[in-house]
Amino acid sequence: MKLTADAKGVFPIAPTPFFDDGAVDRASIDRMMDFYQSCGATGLTVLGQLGEAPKLDFTESLEIASQVIGKAGGMPIVVGVSAPGFASMRSLTRAVMDLGAAGVMIAPPNTLRTDDQIVTYYHQAVDAIGDDVPFVLQDYPLTFSVQMAPSVIRRIVTDLASCVMLKHEDWPGLEKISALRRFEAEGAMRHISILCGNNGLFLDYEMARGADGANTGYCFPDMLCDFVKWMGEGKTEAAHDLFDAHLPLLRYEQQPGVGLAVRKYVMMRRGILSSAAQRRPGGALTPAAKAEVDHLLTRLGKHDPRAKNLV
Amino acid sequence: MKLTADAKGVFPIAPTPFFDDGAVDRASIDRMMDFYQSCGATGLTVLGQLGEAPKLDFTESLEIASQVIGKAGGMPIVVGVSAPGFASMRSLTRAVMDLGAAGVMIAPPNTLRTDDQIVTYYHQAVDAIGDDVPFVLQDYPLTFSVQMAPSVIRRIVTDLASCVMLKHEDWPGLEKISALRRFEAEGAMRHISILCGNNGLFLDYEMARGADGANTGYCFPDMLCDFVKWMGEGKTEAAHDLFDAHLPLLRYEQQPGVGLAVRKYVMMRRGILSSAAQRRPGGALTPAAKAEVDHLLTRLGKHDPRAKNLV
Amino acid sequence: MKLTADAKGVFPIAPTPFFDDGAVDRASIDRMMDFYQSCGATGLTVLGQLGEAPKLDFTESLEIASQVIGKAGGMPIVVGVSAPGFASMRSLTRAVMDLGAAGVMIAPPNTLRTDDQIVTYYHQAVDAIGDDVPFVLQDYPLTFSVQMAPSVIRRIVTDLASCVMLKHEDWPGLEKISALRRFEAEGAMRHISILCGNNGLFLDYEMARGADGANTGYCFPDMLCDFVKWMGEGKTEAAHDLFDAHLPLLRYEQQPGVGLAVRKYVMMRRGILSSAAQRRPGGALTPAAKAEVDHLLTRLGKHDPRAKNLV
Amino acid sequence: MKLTADAKGVFPIAPTPFFDDGAVDRASIDRMMDFYQSCGATGLTVLGQLGEAPKLDFTESLEIASQVIGKAGGMPIVVGVSAPGFASMRSLTRAVMDLGAAGVMIAPPNTLRTDDQIVTYYHQAVDAIGDDVPFVLQDYPLTFSVQMAPSVIRRIVTDLASCVMLKHEDWPGLEKISALRRFEAEGAMRHISILCGNNGLFLDYEMARGADGANTGYCFPDMLCDFVKWMGEGKTEAAHDLFDAHLPLLRYEQQPGVGLAVRKYVMMRRGILSSAAQRRPGGALTPAAKAEVDHLLTRLGKHDPRAKNLV
């Protein structure tokens, strides 16, 4: 089952669980996979930037992808294959597709500047991985320093049939979704799936702009799933109420650099991960930060029972 | 009355009101000044980055500063004097101090990289403006691409007695406040005022880390004033409730690029500005964005009556 | 006399002469103007980045432009008007055009990334200064961090009739000249003048690629004039011999940051400037660096008598 | 034999030879190794940025390192191990040290800004690779966007005993060498080897500032060896004459992006490589560029017979 342009719903970005000594924690991966399925996730992305992919060597990457795919239970699994060179990107892509991945995600290298450079890069990436592999275009200027105008995304989508999804995390980004959907409405671009990242910080308005859901790692993916579902069912204000209750924590987790430490800490308190450890370089939460997250969870617990009675 | 290291409370960042044709709207400046005083603001900053300072020529800058200082009603007025060169910085500083400004704010040019380059720049700036002029150090890496480690801020504070305040808008930034206050507690740095920017996105936890208040332009400065006051009075949970009610709008306004359009639009709807116009280059809100802001205000109105019955 | 797309030859970039105390040295400006005319310069650019324009306030900028234009002796004078905002850009442009400038030069702000952002910026700049003012497009990615693809330059040239010249200083840049001249040959772009900057580091091959000459500040503009003239006369190898004799010094002067100190030092030793002083921030040459420049001049003197018997 | 702080002379940066189809050309590696030894190189660096290291997968990297080490003939071999994460860096380091490498070279990731961030990164890198592995600190701001003040290099050298060499390619960089050697003279920093990169563009003055030689890939490493040797023997002006004769070509090859195409093309014309091919992304020389390089070689041939009679 390969990823298609019809993908919808929530594809969580899975963190990579580690023990305190830095070894991969395979039991936590199993628990995490059960958890994502119980949330109502419609797919899953592994080995992304916040999956600490660059901190894994090739063998570890394959083992994690293999375990996740084995536990997918029907969810399409997207694997991050961004790499400094096309040889590594191809090796990893070929290996994970053989294992049963549904597609791959490719972020642009931070040296790209002009429109042509960006389009050319994706042409070369597709030449490297093969045009039979569906890929997700990651548009995340804050982290990658690459700015893709809507017209550039259109060129990539038009030129490369294997581009089936946009991981949208430009900031600000609402108008970009509108622009892309306008292209489609005008017949100027074929349809692709747009799932939103950026920890979901603007998901409350991105859906109405035309997004198909979320593709991000917020520590309550079950909330993201509810939100997307309720918006689809027309329960707009209830969905906003739920989202707003989570926003203080969600915003705290969205901080660059420390966000992953927050995410892992909450996932540990929720009983999913056995440790909040990151591989180096990676920040641990200070006692003050932990107290802030605990305070945020306590306040959230008044609105969402899933934030109560954590370990 | 000059700015000192004891400054506390809320110093709003004032926008510059324009008519639709780009001319400065002096009547709106008067209304805005009355409004800030009615909010309980303890000071005010004009001609900052989001005051569209770079879009004004020298004469206009002076006229605006003069009008604001004339209507200050006892509030200390800080004037942004960041400039591509020291000659312009000195000219503007000297002129506004003569008009009665309490101090100036200086952002680093985006070419600075190493610790020494940053410290040297502020030495030269003080040489240019004179060491009798109190200045605010603006630490805003997202916009200026200059990263100041806590130890660099300490060097600037230690070397330059006229540095009395930090406009703190690093992101993430909570640990930086703690680090600076720890320096003070250890006797390793003299006390300075720390007021927080970044549209107040983390003000709810910055106060407890040791910040003295806010120095930012969120369209409900009255909320910021209440929040800071209540935190000072120990009404912590009530303060958080108020903050959280505003967070969806506050986060929306914090978006780079479009944020100022949101701010001016809401200040127009609140009856403070006669127009939401910006000088070019500057974005106007699309109809979709206006509808989103209206929706955010409607939802906010359920918790804060100040968001109701807007024009 | 306004600048046109037929400009050819050498437009030196004039430094701004200062006394050691930072005051503008008007007598050196006069000497410098006489010198440029004696070199065979066909035009002149003032108030560029290396003219220390950002270190001048508005009044000083006008006085310098006025003096230079008064001493132009028939040379078209281009004035750098790059500014952080359009109000200042318009004020300076209008003032210098009234004084008799032939055109203005506009560099892009370093926040521009996408093709559309760059093109839009120049549209807005022309709206600000008026479409009756000929302008030079400065393409200098190393300093401004803005990368303009050839197709972007073509869009600007096509959209904006007042764009008459490219100050070409991309690096590497030879293929860009070829690409632009190919557009012209194919009828896909109207002709513009291309003068090369970057201290002339690749002028030896830029001419054959289609450049019309140089627009840079190397301390021997007389060499640049000879080189361009000889290439035009078919004395190719003699021209290369002359260029190569200068290359060790030229490359040394091309260093970012310290280059201007080298340039002013040599122009002082050539009797043109009374001082090598720069306004702050600006580096002075260390004794070791001075000795290196002296050594370079001594070696150059064996091939070019103009480098001999300096003061 | 491990790399020490006493390293001197010329350590060429070896390109990775490919066939036109992108496969590694092992016969050219053997020829290249013979050539470097015949030049008088005192060491060699492989798998650097311009060795196209990011375009190789792990297996290929090891095979190339193994072949080079096997043909080293007594030269210490430094292997570039820069990687987006420490797991890959450690894996490659351990493998090449087992194969007999003399040390490794580590470039900073382009996200580092403050002094502390840079120092911390190298601490973590040494934790990852082991403090028994000598490493070369690569200081190349133009490519990596990381600026290391001399005091930062001193902190790294002082904290980390396994830092034995600086690959110096800051630009401008002469004063940095002087600053570091001054630290040593004052007893404020232990001695390390400083070998210069940046294609040797300032090697003519770097030696006198205190550099120990070159660590760069210019297509005439035999010239670099002669230059360093002659400077050591006091044949200063002859050394400069030789250097200046090469400077036009050397400067042409130093262009970012296209430089490697020039280098490989000349090495092919010298009979060392069988093809000038690069893996993608990588530029090929246009016919115009080839003609320029041929012209530069012809002119060089008048001064240096090694540039004559090429294939």
Side-chain angles (χ1 to χ4, degrees), chain A residues 230-245:
Chain A
W230 295 1
M231 290 295 277
E233 296 168 359
K235 302 176 185 166
T236 307
E237 291 305 303
H240 275 286
D241 289 343
L242 177 64
F243 183 89
D244 287 358

Side-chain angles (χ1 to χ4, degrees), chain C residues 109-155:
Chain C
N110 66 7
T111 48
L112 305 178
R113 282 289 170 275
T114 71
D115 290 8
D116 284 349
Q117 288 170 346
I118 299 167
V119 174
T120 299
Y121 181 80
Y122 280 95
H123 274 266
Q124 294 181 332
V126 167
D127 283 349
I129 66 172
D131 61 9
D132 57 322
V133 178
F135 79 93
V136 178
L137 175 62
Q138 187 172 12
D139 180 19
Y140 194 11
L142 183 67
T143 291
F144 300 121
S145 299
V146 176
Q147 292 190 25
M148 303 185 196
S151 58
V152 164
I153 296 171
R154 176 169 60 178
R155 285 173 61 188

Side-chain angles (χ1 to χ4, degrees), chain D residues 109-153:
Chain D
N110 66 6
T111 48
L112 305 178
R113 281 290 171 273
T114 70
D115 290 9
D116 284 350
Q117 287 170 347
I118 299 167
V119 173
T120 299
Y121 181 81
Y122 280 95
H123 273 267
Q124 294 181 332
V126 168
D127 283 350
I129 64 171
D131 60 10
D132 57 323
V133 178
F135 79 91
V136 177
L137 175 62
Q138 188 172 11
D139 179 19
Y140 194 11
L142 183 67
T143 290
F144 301 120
S145 298
V146 176
Q147 292 189 23
M148 303 185 195
S151 57
V152 163
I153 296 172

Side-chain angles (χ1 to χ4, degrees), chain A residues 241, chain B residues 241-242 245-246 298-306 308:
Chain A
D241 289 343
Chain B
D241 288 343
L242 177 64
H246 278 266
T298 300
R299 289 181 54 83
L300 175 57
K302 293 181 206 163
H303 300 278
D304 189 331
R306 289 172 291 207
K308 286 168 105 161

Side-chain angles (χ1 to χ4, degrees), chain A residues 76-98:
Chain A
I77 305 297
V78 175
V79 180
V81 296
S82 305
F86 291 130
S88 301
M89 186 187 293
R90 180 178 44 227
S91 301
L92 185 55
T93 297
R94 284 304 170 184
V96 298
M97 293 306 289
D98 286 349

Side-chain angles (χ1 to χ4, degrees), chain A residues 89-170:
Chain A
M89 186 187 293
R90 180 178 44 227
S91 301
L92 185 55
T93 297
R94 284 304 170 184
V96 298
M97 293 306 289
D98 286 349
L99 289 169
V104 299
M105 180 168 70
I106 304 174
N110 66 6
T111 47
L112 304 179
R113 282 288 172 273
T114 71
D115 290 7
D116 284 349
Q117 288 169 347
I118 299 167
V119 173
T120 299
Y121 181 80
Y122 280 95
H123 273 267
Q124 293 180 332
V126 168
D127 283 351
I129 65 171
D131 61 10
D132 57 325
V133 178
F135 79 91
V136 179
L137 175 61
Q138 188 173 11
D139 179 19
Y140 194 10
L142 183 67
T143 291
F144 301 121
S145 298
V146 176
Q147 292 189 24
M148 303 185 194
S151 58
V152 163
I153 295 171
R154 178 171 57 179
R155 285 173 61 189
I156 293 169
V157 171
T158 301
D159 290 3
L160 301 167
S162 54
C163 179
V164 296
M165 188 191 290
L166 178 70
K167 183 176 196 317
H168 166 77
E169 30 199 355
D170 200 350

Side-chain angles (χ1 to χ4, degrees), chain D residues 21-53:
Chain D
D21 67 359
V24 175
D25 173 2
R26 301 180 62 102
S28 284
I29 294 180
D30 280 346
R31 265 198 311 277
M32 191 171 68
M33 293 304 296
D34 292 340
F35 169 70
Y36 286 135
Q37 288 178 52
S38 75
C39 290
T42 53
L44 191 72
T45 300
V46 292
L47 303 185
Q49 186 75 9
L50 288 186
E52 300 178 68

